[in-house]
Amino acid sequence: MRIEAGLIRNISYHLSPHHNERPDERDISLAVVHNISLPPGQFTGDAVQQFFLNKLNFDAHPYYQTIKDLTVSAHLLIRRDGRLIQFVPFHLRAWHAGVSEFQGRADCNDFSIGIELEGCDDLPFESSQYQSLANVLRLLIEHYPKMTKERVVGHSDIAPGRKTDPGPAFDWNYLTQLISGELCT
């Protein structure tokens, strides 16, 4: 894998309208792990992709009415089978963190990369997702000098009390071992 012009080469890319310029793209220093499924707990179809692209049919499911006024995106989505889809180039600001703070600094969207895992708080994630996530994180750490494995956090870490993802089913220890190369892949 390689990053060129803010994009991971050779993966699916669909530009979300939900992005804008970062205050300083040289300040990219945090990766935020999220989870998402639409409708909640369902992992088939393209509803997440349509949501990020502002093309979701909000009448297709009752839950969608509760999110119809949101303008949300992430830099990447990792599907259950480990496939990557990019929605916002890394040098631009995706709208994934909302009201957030990391180490006393507010507005995490300004300096973070948002990575959504297709999933939910209470169901285990797939090993293919962990492997893809670890590969992406190693690439980001290599590409962005201010990012380290200690600066990989959950949405719940930067928005406590407001967000719970990636949730208790997410195995941080396993991810850390994969990033560090402690496990054979």
Side-chain angles (χ1 to χ4, degrees), residues 89-154:
F90 298 128
H91 64 277
L92 298 175
R93 177 174 39 202
W95 302 345
H96 61 95
V99 177
S100 54
E101 182 179 310
F102 181 72
Q103 295 182 343
R105 186 170 174 198
D107 301 320
C108 293
N109 284 338
D110 290 350
F111 57 96
S112 68
I113 291 175
I115 304 170
E116 293 276 1
L117 298 174
E118 188 173 42
C120 58
D121 285 9
D122 301 318
L123 293 175
F125 293 89
E126 301 294 332
S127 60
S128 57
Q129 290 180 290
Y130 284 106
Q131 186 60 60
S132 291
L133 179 57
N135 290 339
V136 165
L137 291 170
R138 282 193 300 268
L139 179 67
L140 294 174
I141 290 166
E142 178 182 307
H143 194 81
Y144 295 100
K146 294 181 180 180
M147 192 174 295
T148 65
K149 63 182 179 182
E150 293 77 26
R151 294 182 65 86
V152 175
V153 299

Side-chain angles (χ1 to χ4, degrees), residues 18 20 31 35 41 44 48 51 55 69 75 86 90-91 129 137 147 149 154 158 160 168 183-184:
H18 305 148
N20 57 359
N35 74 50
T44 59
V48 172
F51 181 53
K55 296 179 180 180
D69 295 324
H75 291 93
Q86 189 160 359
F90 298 128
H91 64 277
Q129 290 180 290
L137 291 170
M147 192 174 295
K149 63 182 179 182
I158 62 168
L183 296 176
C184 294

Side-chain angles (χ1 to χ4, degrees), residues 4 7 36 39 63 72 82-83 85-87 106 112 116:
E4 289 183 6
L7 300 174
I36 189 169
Y63 176 78
V72 177
R83 280 182 299 125
I85 303 172
Q86 189 160 359
F87 294 96
S112 68
E116 293 276 1

Side-chain angles (χ1 to χ4, degrees), residues 11-91:
I11 68 167
S12 181
Y13 169 62
H14 306 276
L15 180 62
S16 171
H18 305 148
H19 73 275
N20 57 359
E21 297 290 324
R22 291 182 186 272
D24 183 356
E25 67 183 72
R26 297 168 300 175
D27 195 28
I28 296 170
S29 59
L30 185 69
V32 180
V33 179
H34 305 261
N35 74 50
I36 189 169
S37 56
L38 292 175
Q42 295 184 25
F43 308 130
T44 59
D46 65 353
V48 172
Q49 181 172 325
Q50 295 304 307
F51 181 53
F52 288 162
L53 296 175
N54 203 35
K55 296 179 180 180
L56 183 63
N57 175 359
F58 293 106
D59 295 322
H61 190 276
Y63 176 78
Y64 298 165
Q65 289 298 311
T66 69
I67 61 171
K68 70 179 182 178
D69 295 324
L70 299 178
T71 51
V72 177
S73 63
H75 291 93
L76 293 171
L77 170 67
I78 302 177
R79 300 292 309 247
R80 298 297 285 183
D81 62 4
R83 280 182 299 125
L84 298 169
I85 303 172
Q86 189 160 359
F87 294 96
V88 177
F90 298 128
H91 64 277

